[in-house]
Amino acid sequence: MARIVVIGAGLGAMAAAARLAVAGHRVTVYERGATYGGAVGRFERDGFAFDTGPGLLHLPAVYRDLFVKTGKEPLEECVTLTQVDPAARHVFADGTRVDLPNASRAGTVAALDAALGAGAGERWGDFLVRAREAWDRTRRPLLEEPQPTDPAPLAREPYPALKPGLLRRPTTTLAQVGVRELRDPQLAALLDAYAWAYGFDPATAPASAAVLPYMEQTFGSWYVGGGLRALADAVYERCRKRRVEFVFDTPVEGVLEKDGRAVGVRLAGGDTVEADHVVSGAPLPALDRDRVVEWGPGDDRPRHQALGTGRVTVCLALRGAREPEAVHRTVVHAAGERPTVTVLRPDDPALRPDADHESVTVTATVPTSGEGEQEWEAFAGRMVEAAGRAVPGLRERLLWQHVRTPEDVRRDTGAAEVPGPALAGAGGRLLPADNRSPLPGLWFAGGWSHPGGGLAHAGMSGALVAGFIVEGADFRGSQ
């Protein structure tokens, strides 16, 4: 049995902790904050509750696998999963609306034809066929296997873009895919919205980002009863059942090194904890910025995705019942100064004080720099104005609102940015750090490592790092 210290209690870190504990190792998690879950947080007030991180789950099979391999109770006995249908309602700048069904290619084609005109659905369907090729080429190396020693092949663009005209440059970005292949401003806006939802600017995101709509429209969107925070609760309880120890309000200030190997951590206040291995689920930018890991001048620092974007979240407490025809998720596309926003309206009694009130969450992707408190408040006002196109009578129903900015995310998690999913192409710029760090004995897990980003991907990262340690390490820890 080895002694293992885990830095941080995000979803990926807890997934690694649970798997390592099942393998018989003594695992202790040190978390800088007062609770677990990382970016999967919750805000509560006056009987209202809101997810402050992701609101929907994609690829639930990742967490089904985690629960199967760490205990007797399957995921569905620990949380309630419901498919969201329609998967999303899109409201375009000119007022056109289209409801896209959950995980139905034929239904999506028919809905787009009906809303945008004959041929729109066929063009979107043909695009998804090409997106599937990119998915098939990258799924295993990006999501299921350790990062290859030579990641150069993953730096090449896997999306089979249609050949451009003789006088055109090759298609390299998702925005170019929208313009050249979808040939409709609203279809292009639909595609762009998937990029923005994951923190990517479609003008710079590689064409391989086409896998994002493919993934959602193929595997579906799921809601966890009680909100995504309930999933974090379930993973935490699974860790506790496997006798993982948690120490909260205890920042790790440094990784101890001896003879070129990680041998423990130094806690705030100066106490040290010995360990045979250290697993860090903390954001890589924070590890470097706060000098938790001391990289020498010749050391190869692990790369991380620097998207430069975060999220503003506005929690809205509304009087009045949710109307029967309301949908769970509405994407309101940008119009003038109004940004593109995602409006989540879960029909969940656990998130509201009673049936005569409603909890609504509005999110938008923003640059992480350049805004002050007054600017964020003004931006939040434009977000609420946009959300009014999805929620009838929103202003009249509004009791109060609570705004969370990238700075709030930085305070809670250590990084203002939200890491995007790993993508091939872009010269390798969007490939996250390998789970194996340059310092033996130190491993990376969570959203900033392979295959980082996204809620499901963080769980995959925990599985990978646990597999590395259990199968590939020489354990001579205390018994």
Side-chain angles (χ1 to χ4, degrees):
M1 179 175 69
R3 301 163 300 178
I4 299 177
V5 164
V6 177
I7 303 173
L11 267 294
M14 289 197 294
R19 288 177 181 265
L20 289 167
V22 166
H25 305 300
R26 192 168 71 221
V27 183
T28 303
V29 178
Y30 292 92
E31 165 57 45
R32 65 198 293 269
T35 188
Y36 50 85
V40 184
R42 167 160 292 191
F43 176 73
E44 298 181 359
R45 174 180 161 187
D46 302 339
F48 294 89
F50 309 85
D51 280 325
T52 58
L56 293 174
L57 178 63
H58 308 290
L59 298 178
V62 173
Y63 286 92
R64 291 192 181 105
D65 182 67
L66 171 67
F67 276 73
V68 164
K69 293 180 178 176
T70 58
K72 294 181 179 180
E73 303 88 359
L75 177 65
E76 279 78 358
E77 288 188 12
C78 301
V79 298
T80 301
L81 288 177
T82 306
Q83 281 196 331
V84 175
D85 200 8
R89 171 174 292 164
H90 287 262
V91 180
F92 296 100
D94 65 355
T96 301
R97 298 186 173 211
V98 57
D99 288 356
L100 299 183
N102 196 349
S104 171
R105 178 78 60 84
T108 296
V109 168
L112 290 173
D113 274 343
L116 306 183
E122 182 180 3
R123 289 195 299 277
W124 183 262
D126 290 343
F127 156 73
L128 287 182
V129 170
R130 294 187 291 276
R132 177 178 179 175
E133 289 188 44
W135 170 264
D136 290 341
R137 293 170 182 174
T138 60
R139 174 179 56 86
R140 294 192 63 176
L142 283 183
L143 300 182
E144 299 176 2
E145 300 172 344
Q147 194 172 99
T149 304
D150 178 13
L154 290 175
R156 296 193 289 269
E157 177 56 62
Y159 177 77
L162 297 180
K163 293 186 179 298
L166 293 176
L167 300 180
R168 283 183 177 177
R169 294 180 179 179
T171 301
T172 59
T173 69
L174 195 67
Q176 290 174 333
V177 171
V179 171
R180 297 178 180 180
E181 300 183 12
L182 298 178
R183 306 191 308 280
D184 180 286
Q186 290 169 323
L187 285 180
L190 174 63
L191 179 58
D192 288 352
Y194 282 97
W196 284 119
Y198 286 91
F200 296 105
D201 182 341
T204 57
S208 64
V211 300
L212 301 176
Y214 172 81
M215 180 184 69
E216 285 200 21
Q217 294 192 13
T218 300
F219 303 109
S221 301
W222 301 75
Y223 178 68
V224 179
L228 254 294
R229 180 66 184 181
L231 178 63
D233 294 340
V235 176
Y236 173 73
E237 291 302 324
R238 178 54 53 92
C239 285
R240 296 291 293 165
K241 288 182 179 180
R242 302 284 77 82
R243 299 185 180 181
V244 174
E245 182 180 356
F246 286 81
V247 183
F248 295 106
D249 295 312
T250 305
V252 171
E253 292 190 339
V255 173
L256 303 178
E257 180 181 351
K258 182 179 180 181
D259 299 328
R261 179 180 177 82
V263 294
V265 296
R266 183 180 69 257
L267 306 178
D271 290 343
T272 60
V273 179
E274 295 183 353
D276 299 293
H277 287 261
V278 176
V279 177
S280 177
L284 286 175
L287 291 181
D288 202 0
R289 180 193 66 232
D290 299 337
R291 304 184 69 179
V292 176
V293 179
E294 295 286 353
W295 306 108
D299 290 340
D300 182 19
R301 279 178 166 79
R303 63 178 173 269
H304 59 82
Q305 303 171 53
L307 299 181
T309 58
R311 291 189 177 91
V312 174
T313 301
V314 184
C315 305
L316 302 176
L318 305 184
R319 65 170 63 88
R322 179 181 186 270
E323 67 271 17
E325 66 273 15
V327 299
H328 190 114
R329 175 171 58 166
T330 302
V331 178
V332 181
H333 293 258
E337 292 188 352
R338 293 199 304 260
T340 294
V341 300
T342 298
V343 182
L344 295 182
R345 306 179 65 190
D347 187 10
D348 189 342
L351 304 185
R352 60 191 183 227
D354 53 51
D356 293 325
H357 293 84
E358 183 183 6
S359 298
V360 175
T361 304
V362 186
T363 59
T365 297
V366 295
T368 53
S369 60
E371 300 285 351
E373 183 174 349
Q374 290 184 340
E375 287 82 1
W376 285 131
E377 288 294 332
F379 184 78
R382 295 195 294 273
M383 291 174 60
V384 173
E385 181 185 356
R389 305 184 73 194
V391 184
L394 188 154
R395 284 292 185 183
E396 294 74 22
R397 298 176 58 195
L398 182 61
L399 292 171
W400 50 262
Q401 69 182 45
H402 173 75
V403 180
R404 281 180 54 85
T405 72
E407 282 306 309
D408 295 314
V409 178
R410 186 197 303 276
R411 182 196 63 229
D412 293 344
T413 69
E417 290 187 3
V418 178
L423 292 179
R429 177 173 52 87
L430 300 176
L431 298 177
D434 194 349
N435 304 89
R436 295 168 289 196
S437 81
L439 179 65
L442 172 64
W443 309 80
F444 298 135
W448 293 89
S449 58
H450 178 77
L455 187 65
H457 296 178
M460 295 177 186
S461 176
L464 278 174
V465 75
F468 274 129
I469 295 176
V470 171
E471 298 173 11
D474 178 16
F475 275 137
R476 289 191 287 264
S478 58
Q479 299 298 313

